[in-house]
Amino acid sequence: MNAPQAGRPLAAPDQDAARTLWEQYAQAHPAAASASSDVLVDQFGDHAELADGVLDLVRAGYKTATASLLSEYVWEGEAPPGIGAHTVFCDGDGALG
């Protein structure tokens, strides 16, 4: 059995567009935005096709939550998100789409 082939690499997320989107969201939903100052800009998966596919599921309303293993944060040397944290997800090309 062959290992799955990853597609094209992820492009860097558009930080400026994500910041603008977050600011618009925070103005429209101040209570939700003030629950946490944590805002991460990220992508799903490890290659562009996977990021696009999962983001399509989010947009269609099929994927409404996400989770990661605490051990992944430890392994990557990152702090896990806090309660009320927000994430802006970009597609595989780094765009908000």
Side-chain angles (χ1 to χ4, degrees):
M1 185 167 169
N2 294 333
Q5 296 292 318
R8 69 185 198 283
L10 291 168
D14 185 339
Q15 298 288 334
D16 292 335
R19 186 178 318 106
T20 299
L21 178 71
W22 172 252
E23 289 168 358
Q24 292 170 349
Y25 173 82
Q27 284 183 333
H29 306 281
S34 68
S36 173
S37 61
D38 293 341
V39 180
L40 176 67
V41 179
D42 205 353
Q43 293 157 298
F44 291 108
D46 61 359
H47 61 280
E49 290 83 2
L50 180 56
D52 293 347
V54 176
L55 193 56
D56 285 345
L57 294 173
V58 171
R59 289 179 182 137
Y62 294 112
K63 180 173 177 50
T64 60
T66 194
S68 297
L69 295 172
L70 180 58
S71 60
E72 288 182 36
Y73 289 100
V74 172
W75 182 76
E76 293 173 355
E78 296 180 13
I83 295 171
H86 293 82
T87 304
V88 175
F89 282 98
C90 295
D91 66 15
D93 293 322
L96 296 177

